[in-house]
Amino acid sequence: MAAIAEKVRGSRVLLKSVAKEPALVKDLPRWVADAGDRFNPLGARRPWWNYAAVRAVGESLRPRDRVFEYGGGASSLWFVDQGADLTTVESDRAWFDDIREAVGAGAELRLAESDGDGYATYVHSIDQDLDESFDVIVVDGRERVRCGLAAIPKLKPGGRMILDDSDRARYSPLFDELAGWRPVSYRGLKPGIWSAVQTTVWTKPRRTDL
Ligand SMILES: C[S@@+](CC[C@H](N)C(=O)[O-])C[C@H]1O[C@@H](n2cnc3c(N)ncnc32)[C@H](O)[C@@H]1O
């Protein structure tokens, strides 16, 4: 009964979203095909972002691109499938084990649980990597503003930083910090979620752009 009530509530939210943003209609067939709200992220083997964001990042990704990811999942499998050289840091042990099993030796996976340190080990896991060594950095886990800030020196000039759920107001300090970078925001449905969400991709200026 509770599940039916939840579905009715979700359907209303979805209809309202589509009425407000008619462009979302184009995502609906895909969203339904992805089993609506019964989506299994790891089974899908693609990032749990909206469809437009996945398409755009996929089109610009080159084989052997070095990718660092805060918050693993289906995106980890997808990056490995695309031939990326992937490093992922994950904060949830059980989820880490699931990713480890699915990815095998295809990526460097780091477990950094909070352990009362306010996610400092997680946020600063990237400190051990060389400056300007990543083509793509994904911020899609815990403490997104702090992770984005820690990642800035590690991204190559011309590289891209991806923030999922970038429409959340609490992430605005990262927008302020990256004000000189070129942002492109993608809005649309993502599997399993009943309303539109946003992903933002910034390109880090090259020295010649400054
Ligand atoms: C929204 S997920 C996105 C992960 C990934 N970047 C993707 O696109 O598939 C972000 C975080 O949620 C947590 N998470 C997601 N699904 C989970 C699950 N089924 N069990 C436990 N934690 C989960 C993990 O800690 C993960 O880092």
Side-chain angles (χ1 to χ4, degrees):
M1 201 62 184
I4 293 173
E6 178 58 25
K7 257 198 172 59
V8 170
R9 195 195 63 80
S11 305
R12 282 205 189 113
V13 171
L14 186 62
L15 286 174
K16 268 192 193 158
S17 303
V18 174
K20 215 162 81 184
E21 298 178 59
L24 297 179
V25 165
K26 69 177 186 321
D27 287 345
L28 275 177
R30 188 93 196 267
W31 188 89
V32 172
D34 278 334
D37 61 340
R38 286 177 286 109
F39 179 65
N40 164 18
L42 277 188
R45 294 188 82 92
R46 63 172 188 274
W48 201 3
W49 315 329
N50 67 63
Y51 298 112
V54 175
R55 196 164 44 244
V57 173
E59 283 170 4
S60 61
L61 200 67
R62 297 158 306 180
R64 306 312 304 158
D65 264 358
R66 287 205 71 215
V67 177
F68 186 96
E69 182 181 53
Y70 285 103
S75 54
S76 315
L77 310 186
W78 183 79
F79 279 118
V80 169
D81 290 347
Q82 309 300 308
D85 177 355
L86 177 69
T87 301
T88 297
V89 60
E90 174 51 46
S91 58
D92 184 286
R93 181 178 289 274
W95 190 236
F96 173 88
D97 289 342
D98 288 348
I99 300 167
R100 156 76 63 225
E101 195 182 322
V103 167
E108 180 182 343
L109 299 181
R110 301 174 186 167
L111 175 64
E113 293 174 291
S114 175
D115 200 18
D117 68 352
Y119 291 101
T121 310
Y122 176 83
V123 170
H124 293 290
S125 169
I126 201 167
D127 290 0
Q128 64 192 277
D129 298 290
L130 293 175
D131 282 357
E132 299 190 350
S133 59
F134 292 105
D135 300 283
V136 176
I137 295 179
V138 182
V139 181
D140 191 17
R142 298 284 177 172
E143 293 293 334
R144 297 187 190 188
V145 171
R146 289 168 62 209
C147 291
L149 297 179
I152 290 172
K154 306 300 176 181
L155 193 61
K156 292 179 185 175
R160 279 151 295 139
M161 187 178 309
I162 300 167
L163 173 66
D164 193 33
D165 304 312
S166 58
D167 45 343
R168 292 178 183 163
R170 64 181 183 273
Y171 300 152
S172 67
L174 193 54
F175 279 80
D176 296 341
E177 194 62 36
L178 302 184
W181 297 24
R182 186 170 56 82
V184 180
S185 292
Y186 301 92
R187 198 168 159 76
L189 296 178
K190 75 159 108 175
I193 305 293
W194 293 91
S195 53
V197 288
Q198 178 179 291
T199 304
T200 298
V201 181
W202 287 269
T203 302
K204 187 176 189 178
R206 296 178 194 276
R207 287 184 234 300
T208 49
D209 299 335
L210 296 171

